[in-house]
Amino acid sequence: MWLILALSTSALSLLQAQSLSRQYRARWLNGICLHATLFATGGLVLFYGDNQHQKTSITRQNTAGKVILVTIEEPLSEKTQSWKTIASVQAVLFDHSLNKASGKILLYFQKDSTSQRLQYGKQLLLYKTLQPVKNTGNPGCFDYQRYCAFQGISHQVYLKQGEYVPLKIENENLFRKFLFSTRAKIVALLKKYIPGDKEAGLAEAMLIGYKEDLDQRLVQSYSNTGVVHIIAISGLHLGLIYWLLTLLCKPLAKRKGGKLVQPILIIAGLWLFSFIAGGSPSVLRSAVMFTCVVIGAHLNRKTSIYNSLAASAFLLLCYNPFWLWDAGFQLSYAAVLSLAVFYKPVYNLLFVSNKLLDLLWKSLSVTLAAQILTVPVSAYLFHQFPNLFLIANLLAVPLSSLIIFGEILLCAVSVLPIMASGVGYLLHHTIYWLNTFIEQVGSLPYATLGNLQINSAQLVCLYVFIGAIAWWLLNRKHQGVVLSLMALLSFIIFRTVDVWNTGQQKKLIVYNIPRHSAIDVMVGTKYFFKGDSLIQHDDLLQKFHLQPCRLLHRVINSFNPGNILGEKNFYRFGNTSFLLFDAPLDLSKFYPKTPIDIIIVSNNPPIQIAQITGAFQCRQFVFDASNPAWKVAKWQQECAQLGLAAFSVADKGAFVFNLY
């Protein structure tokens, strides 16, 4: 993705290079050199950014039976059945020897009075063996293991009382403690004066990026309408903070030494807000770019948007090279680059003499221009396109700006309870109106175009097509027409091959969903589902576990194949037969050694493998994630003694079998 983005920055800036003066051409060349430097150093930075390459990494040490010294790195967040936090590993203790260790781990605490008192900086001794972070292995699903690895997290552990000991000493960073304390005070303030869980949760996310209290169904509505960017702290929020700081610091310019103090205060305010907001890639990108703007304005130098964009990417990736794979990082840079290249051409398409209508057209032009380079990567990552994004953004963007200013005002007048209550009341109703509007728009027919599945080759073709068309339209280069047609033809070829492969597929998939049973049989573009009734009625479980796999394999419609052998849960597809063993079964009704290819055991039935093999001649046993771990281990041991193949979904991930 970064290769596509960097090449797009260079190529699209070239569209304007021919009409620039020699001075600005030099700036453009500097941007190209910066991109080349990024590529040259990227591999080295990526290697040293990976904690696994360090000798002290926890991934290189066997922690079984050892005591681990860790430090809690952030405040605990409440989950349904536990408290969750991230801890940094300090050392591993074994036989009275202390070995230095490094890395991060996820800690889950059983909910009790002791765990609730734990806080940032607290050091703990862990007496439980760490478990590696693993994926579910469900095809097409979010790669949680890679996501954690990019944050330096390799292991996790669930701790009950008695499995850890809090130490009296603490290991705190005063600045981080100040940030966490400030975030907690702001969250408490917003909850106090903005009634309603949905409204307060959105207010917290919009002001400081705190998303623990966000309603997930509301987030889905914002995503479906294309306005989820107002929830994520980004350039919109930093722009408002920059404007406010500039306004407040303007009187300093008239005082002695004020011209030096003014940019320092503005930059300090921008970065303080960025850190309080969580320091995500999108907000740090904006902070770096606004810092360049402030410094340039102080030195009476006009900065190039392309150079600032490349410089900020270079600095952020030097700090954390794994942000390269962060969706927020990719979308943030794609949006800014798209605005830099396409805003003026889009705005110049129409001339509006009326000032009010012209302001409206400017807002629409910004939205349209930002979509040009973000749509391909958004479809690649999230597989959907919001058809009504223009309507939603038309009200959501100005209203969100008003809400942010209102929240800043609420923080400023919080010392006056009566005034704070009034501001909170207005904010509650404003956010309620915004939520209602977004939910209504999202519920309209055809509000979202879903099931968009493109691979990396098709993504490249789309960006080449956009770049070539822009080259033709902006610079009148007819070669762009030929290049765009070639890119479009390549896209169609890749798409056709993909669709043809889909029509030929025949797969059996046993999903890895903890404490649940779920099976899909895919034949062409149709699927047959067998599993828990809870999954069939839970939209969130389906969206997280089932839909990504079905989307990956392009299956749309369901079908019912019926049963074979006159028995429930017996199925045959082509030459492959399988039995779903999810309840006690009268084995006496079957002929000895009835041939069956696969037996899937779920929901912890009272069986013994030897009894099953007496009735069936089976090639493969599959134990899904609805069975308890100790029972699966027992069954696997029985299979090993009988020389039978066994597959544990909870241990190895989803079971995927090509039917024949």
Side-chain angles (χ1 to χ4, degrees):
M1 175 57 206
W2 172 246
L3 177 62
I4 295 171
L5 185 59
L7 289 178
S8 299
T9 309
S10 304
L12 291 172
S13 61
L14 180 60
L15 298 175
Q16 299 178 349
Q18 295 184 356
S19 61
L20 297 177
S21 64
R22 180 177 299 177
Q23 176 186 4
Y24 286 96
R25 286 190 187 185
R27 291 185 181 180
W28 170 76
L29 289 174
N30 288 340
I32 299 296
C33 292
L34 197 54
H35 298 162
T37 305
L38 176 60
F39 290 138
T41 60
L44 186 63
V45 174
L46 194 64
F47 179 87
Y48 283 104
D50 190 349
N51 180 264
Q52 296 183 27
H53 294 138
Q54 300 178 15
K55 293 182 179 179
T56 58
S57 173
I58 192 67
T59 59
R60 293 189 167 193
Q61 303 191 37
N62 179 18
T63 61
K66 299 180 181 179
V67 180
I68 304 168
L69 175 64
V70 301
T71 301
I72 296 178
E73 291 295 326
E74 63 180 27
L76 275 65
S77 59
E78 186 175 6
K79 302 301 177 183
T80 306
Q81 298 178 344
S82 64
W83 295 95
K84 177 187 176 184
T85 188
I86 297 175
S88 61
V89 180
Q90 307 295 320
V92 176
L93 292 78
F94 185 68
D95 287 341
H96 306 291
S97 63
L98 183 67
N99 296 324
K100 185 179 179 181
S102 62
K104 295 180 181 179
I105 60 174
L106 290 173
L107 300 183
Y108 295 90
F109 295 96
Q110 185 183 44
K111 285 190 173 181
D112 54 48
S113 58
T114 304
S115 62
Q116 194 170 357
R117 292 196 298 267
L118 298 174
Q119 57 188 359
Y120 163 70
K122 195 70 175 178
Q123 290 196 313
L124 309 173
L125 290 177
L126 310 184
Y127 293 91
K128 192 173 182 180
T129 303
L130 304 181
Q131 301 296 323
V133 175
K134 296 191 297 184
N135 281 328
T136 61
N138 297 328
C141 285
F142 178 64
D143 194 338
Y144 185 65
Q145 184 179 20
R146 190 182 75 166
Y147 171 78
C148 289
F150 287 166
Q151 298 185 66
I153 300 171
S154 57
H155 290 76
Q156 60 186 352
V157 63
Y158 179 80
L159 298 167
K160 300 178 181 178
Q161 194 169 7
E163 294 177 338
Y164 65 95
V165 174
L167 302 180
K168 293 184 178 180
I169 57 175
E170 295 183 349
N171 184 12
E172 296 178 337
N173 178 289
L174 292 180
F175 181 65
R176 293 194 68 192
K177 185 177 181 179
F178 164 75
L179 293 178
F180 290 138
S181 174
T182 303
R183 281 172 65 89
K185 290 178 181 177
I186 293 174
V187 169
L189 181 67
L190 295 176
K191 286 182 177 179
K192 180 179 179 181
Y193 290 107
I194 301 179
D197 293 338
K198 291 173 67 173
E199 289 76 18
L202 188 71
E204 295 160 15
M206 289 179 66
L207 183 61
I208 58 171
Y210 184 81
K211 300 180 181 179
E212 297 295 332
D213 298 327
L214 267 177
D215 183 274
Q216 293 304 311
R217 299 187 186 278
L218 181 65
V219 174
Q220 188 61 48
S221 297
Y222 275 78
S223 178
N224 291 342
T225 51
V227 293
V228 73
H229 59 88
I230 71 173
I231 297 177
I233 306 293
S234 59
L236 172 65
H237 303 74
L238 261 291
L240 294 174
I241 299 297
Y242 169 71
W243 177 82
L244 186 61
L245 289 171
T246 303
L247 188 66
L248 293 175
C249 294
K250 193 173 183 180
L252 292 175
K254 300 178 182 179
R255 296 179 177 272
K256 185 178 180 180
K259 289 186 177 181
L260 180 61
V261 176
Q262 185 186 35
I264 294 175
L265 289 177
I266 293 175
I267 293 173
L270 286 171
W271 282 96
L272 180 61
F273 174 81
S274 301
F275 288 130
I276 291 175
S280 66
S282 58
V283 71
L284 292 181
R285 187 270 308 160
S286 302
V288 171
M289 294 191 68
F290 276 112
T291 299
C292 294
V293 170
V294 173
I295 295 175
H298 180 67
L299 299 176
N300 295 320
R301 296 282 299 275
K302 186 177 180 181
T303 59
S304 165
I305 182 64
Y306 301 108
N307 287 354
S308 297
L309 197 64
S312 63
F314 177 77
L315 294 173
L316 292 180
L317 291 177
C318 283
Y319 172 72
N320 186 346
F322 296 110
W323 278 344
L324 192 61
W325 289 269
D326 184 88
F329 182 92
Q330 297 171 6
L331 288 170
S332 177
Y333 277 91
V336 175
L337 178 61
S338 194
L339 286 171
V341 176
F342 296 110
Y343 168 68
K344 285 186 177 179
V346 171
Y347 174 69
N348 291 335
L349 289 175
L350 289 177
F351 173 75
V352 182
S353 57
N354 184 283
K355 291 186 177 180
L356 185 61
L357 292 178
D358 183 60
L359 186 63
L360 178 63
W361 173 236
K362 283 182 179 179
S363 177
L364 293 176
S365 299
V366 169
T367 304
L368 286 170
Q371 292 292 325
I372 294 175
L373 290 183
T374 56
V375 164
V377 68
S378 181
Y380 177 73
L381 294 173
F382 305 113
H383 316 295
Q384 65 180 24
F385 177 74
N387 295 324
L388 303 179
F389 70 92
L390 274 178
I391 298 174
N393 277 276
L394 197 60
L395 180 64
V397 171
L399 208 55
S400 65
S401 302
L402 183 64
I403 290 170
I404 293 171
F405 278 128
E407 291 183 84
I408 295 173
L409 178 62
L410 176 60
C411 294
V413 302
S414 60
V415 293
L416 304 172
I418 297 178
M419 187 176 292
S421 298
V423 175
Y425 176 81
L426 293 175
L427 280 172
H428 164 74
H429 285 282
T430 306
I431 296 173
Y432 174 79
W433 293 334
L434 176 61
N435 288 344
T436 303
F437 171 72
I438 295 300
E439 288 175 333
Q440 290 295 327
V441 172
S443 64
L444 293 174
Y446 308 107
T448 305
L449 179 62
N451 297 327
L452 297 178
Q453 178 64 36
I454 62 174
N455 56 35
S456 55
Q458 293 168 350
L459 178 64
V460 172
C461 290
L462 285 177
Y463 274 115
V464 173
F465 174 78
I466 293 171
I469 288 292
W471 189 27
W472 169 48
L473 293 177
L474 298 181
N475 285 301
R476 307 298 180 186
K477 292 294 183 179
H478 296 292
Q479 298 94 323
V481 179
V482 178
L483 184 58
S484 65
L485 290 176
M486 291 175 60
L488 187 59
L489 179 61
S490 300
F491 179 87
I492 293 173
I493 292 173
F494 286 127
R495 187 79 173 176
T496 303
V497 172
D498 231 5
V499 172
W500 186 85
N501 288 334
T502 298
Q504 307 304 310
Q505 69 184 356
K506 294 179 181 179
K507 292 188 175 183
L508 166 67
I509 300 176
V510 182
Y511 293 98
N512 181 13
I513 307 177
R515 296 181 297 278
H516 292 290
S517 174
I519 301 168
D520 263 344
V521 177
M522 299 178 180
V523 180
T525 59
K526 297 183 177 181
Y527 69 92
F528 163 65
F529 176 76
K530 186 72 176 177
D532 295 345
S533 58
L534 178 62
I535 294 179
Q536 294 177 326
H537 297 94
D538 192 319
D539 293 338
L540 292 178
L541 277 177
Q542 288 190 38
K543 181 178 178 59
F544 187 77
H545 294 286
L546 305 184
Q547 290 182 9
C549 182
R550 293 171 182 171
L551 187 61
L552 177 67
H553 293 93
R554 302 181 186 276
V555 294
I556 304 172
N557 302 314
S558 61
F559 72 98
N560 189 351
N563 299 319
I564 64 170
L565 304 180
E567 284 291 337
K568 179 183 177 182
N569 293 350
F570 280 84
Y571 302 96
R572 183 185 297 278
F573 296 90
N575 296 320
T576 305
S577 59
F578 70 88
L579 163 67
L580 176 59
F581 213 133
D582 59 354
L585 190 63
D586 186 3
L587 300 177
S588 62
K589 296 191 301 182
F590 302 98
Y591 294 106
K593 300 298 183 181
T594 299
I596 197 89
D597 293 303
I598 301 171
I599 294 180
I600 303 170
V601 182
S602 65
N603 295 326
N604 192 23
I607 62 167
Q608 292 183 355
I609 301 300
Q611 293 176 335
I612 298 177
T613 55
F616 302 102
Q617 184 178 354
C618 178
R619 295 174 50 197
Q620 174 88 58
F621 277 88
V622 177
F623 308 109
D624 73 8
S626 64
N627 302 296
W630 68 270
K631 198 68 169 289
V632 172
K634 179 177 177 293
W635 287 332
Q636 284 183 305
Q637 186 178 9
E638 292 180 30
C639 288
Q641 293 172 351
L642 296 171
L644 299 173
F647 188 98
S648 172
V649 169
D651 296 329
K652 299 180 181 179
F655 176 76
V656 181
F657 184 82
N658 290 316
L659 303 173
Y660 56 91

